[in-house]
């Protein structure tokens, strides 16, 4: 289901981040299908990069494995097309560092992911002040450019980002990089409240989410959904010679996070 329809429903939204090609392309395709079948609404489709500065050790290893396996930006974009042709209809948001987008050409990159079947784009190392070319091309091709906000985002800047935000806001729950955490920090709940003072734009909270209780508490606090990533990679990297034996475990994890989201909705009512 595409973004507009997805957020028009009362159902909480779950986005799962997968670095495509880790540890191989065939596994990524199977894992994405399992995730979609077990409760994930949006696939955050990561294009592996050699210097993923927003990512922690788990995703750094994922990028390194995918690149060593021969994954390239062009192969990854073709992977979106293959997923669509195989019947995956969930929203797909591409995450790519700006170096890749700039090297291919902003308009050409955005046009190519749209043609492949993507719905949006996250570029974590581009501040909103420098995002005009991305927004212009996104508007031209029908790709939502997703902005990030963090607990350290000052109030004035937060208001400006909200004004320009499209699709949804990616709420970074911690001051740091991606990776599973034990607890949700109070600053995450404070940030949800701060955004809600100015806008009812959909909020998806990521970085550190790894338990159903995290999802429950974040939804109950007023967010529209949660994002997991490293927690999924941690499951299959236990056995990289045969990652497919962990597909059921990945599905069970996804289902538990979705159930946590639904429990959060019930707590709000």
């Amino acid at each position: 289901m595409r973004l507009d329809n997805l957020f028009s429903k009362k159902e909480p939204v779950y986005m799962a981040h997968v670095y495509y090609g880790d540890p191989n392309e065939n596994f990524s395709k199977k894992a994405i299908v399992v995730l979609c079948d077990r409760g994930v609404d949006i696939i955050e489709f990561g294009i592996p990069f050699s210097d993923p500065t927003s990512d922690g050790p788990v995703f750094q290893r994922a990028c390194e494995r995918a690149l060593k396996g021969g994954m390239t930006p062009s192969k990854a974009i073709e992977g979106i097309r293959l997923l669509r042709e195989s019947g995956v209809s969930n929203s797909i948001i591409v995450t790519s560092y700006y170096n890749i987008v700039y090297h291919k050409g902003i308009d050409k990159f955005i046009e190519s992911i749209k043609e492949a079947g993507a719905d949006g784009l996250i570029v974590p190392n581009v501040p909103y002040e420098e995002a005009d070319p991305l927004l212009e091309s996104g508007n031209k091709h029908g790709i939502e450019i997703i902005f990030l906000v963090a607990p350290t985002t000052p109030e004035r800047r937060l208001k400006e980002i909200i004004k320009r935000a499209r699709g949804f806001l990616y709420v970074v729950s911690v001051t740091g990089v991606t990776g599973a955490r034990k607890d949700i920090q109070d600053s995450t709940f404070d940030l949800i409240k701060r955004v809600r003072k100015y806008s009812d734009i959909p909020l998806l909270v990521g970085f550190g989410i790894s338990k159903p209780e995290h999802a429950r508490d974040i939804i109950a606090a007023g967010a529209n959904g949660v994002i997991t990533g490293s927690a999924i990679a941690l499951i299959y990297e236990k056995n990289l010679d045969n990652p497919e034996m962990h597909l059921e475990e990945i599905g069970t994890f996804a289902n538990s996070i979705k159930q946590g989201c639904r429990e959060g909705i019930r707590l709000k009512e």
Side-chain angles (χ1 to χ4, degrees):
M1 184 179 294
R2 300 304 172 87
L3 286 181
D4 288 346
N5 290 333
L6 196 58
F7 289 116
S8 68
K9 299 174 66 177
K10 189 178 179 182
E11 182 82 0
V13 172
Y14 175 22
M15 182 162 85
H17 185 179
V18 173
Y19 264 115
Y20 191 72
D22 174 43
N24 59 67
E25 190 171 5
N26 190 48
F27 173 76
S28 292
K29 292 175 190 170
K30 291 182 178 179
I32 287 170
V33 169
V34 167
L35 289 166
C36 293
D37 287 345
R38 300 293 288 276
V40 168
D41 304 289
I42 305 174
I43 294 298
E44 185 180 353
F45 186 97
I47 296 179
F49 181 55
S50 58
D51 188 20
T53 50
S54 293
D55 290 315
V58 175
F59 267 171
Q60 289 174 15
R61 293 195 295 269
C63 284
E64 186 176 348
R65 289 190 294 263
L67 293 172
K68 281 184 176 178
M71 184 50 58
T72 66
S74 295
K75 286 182 180 178
I77 293 170
E78 179 61 19
I80 299 172
R81 190 188 315 279
L82 295 174
L83 286 168
R84 290 298 189 212
E85 289 175 356
S86 71
V88 172
S89 60
N90 298 49
S91 290
I92 294 178
I93 304 295
V94 172
T95 288
S96 174
Y97 284 88
Y98 189 57
N99 314 57
I100 293 172
V101 180
Y102 184 80
H103 180 74
K104 189 175 180 67
I106 294 172
D107 197 63
K108 189 175 180 181
F109 179 90
I110 291 179
E111 182 181 26
S112 66
I113 65 171
K114 178 64 179 181
E115 288 181 351
D119 302 293
L121 173 64
I122 298 170
V123 186
N125 60 342
V126 169
Y128 89 94
E129 293 92 340
E130 299 174 18
D132 281 348
L134 291 170
L135 288 168
E136 290 169 9
S137 182
N139 288 336
K140 177 181 173 184
H141 296 293
I143 288 288
E144 302 285 13
I145 306 300
I146 308 300
F147 289 128
L148 290 78
V149 295
T152 52
T153 303
E155 209 72 2
R156 180 194 61 76
R157 196 162 186 274
L158 179 64
K159 293 177 186 177
E160 293 301 318
I161 293 173
I162 289 171
K163 284 180 187 175
R164 308 189 75 185
R166 310 289 175 84
F168 63 86
L169 265 181
Y170 191 127
V171 176
V172 176
S173 69
V174 297
T175 304
V177 295
T178 61
R181 264 80 168 181
K182 185 177 179 182
D183 299 307
I184 302 297
Q185 299 173 1
D186 290 342
S187 59
T188 304
F189 303 116
D190 291 340
L191 181 56
I192 293 171
K193 290 179 184 175
R194 287 172 58 204
V195 176
R196 282 287 175 249
K197 283 195 302 184
Y198 308 115
S199 174
D200 59 359
I201 187 171
L203 306 180
L204 299 190
V205 179
F207 283 46
I209 312 303
S210 61
K211 301 176 183 177
E213 308 91 271
H214 295 166
R216 177 198 63 201
D217 294 346
I218 284 169
I219 298 298
N224 299 82
V226 300
I227 305 159
T228 66
S230 298
I232 297 170
L234 277 172
I235 294 173
Y236 65 79
E237 78 166 8
K238 291 182 292 191
N239 186 355
L240 291 171
D241 291 331
N242 188 14
E244 293 185 16
M245 70 179 295
H246 296 288
L247 286 170
E248 178 57 31
E249 189 177 351
I250 289 170
T252 299
F253 171 79
N255 186 256
S256 72
I257 296 296
K258 186 69 174 185
Q259 291 305 317
C261 289
R262 288 173 174 150
E263 189 176 344
I265 285 287
R266 287 193 288 274
L267 289 176
K268 285 176 65 178
E269 294 175 342

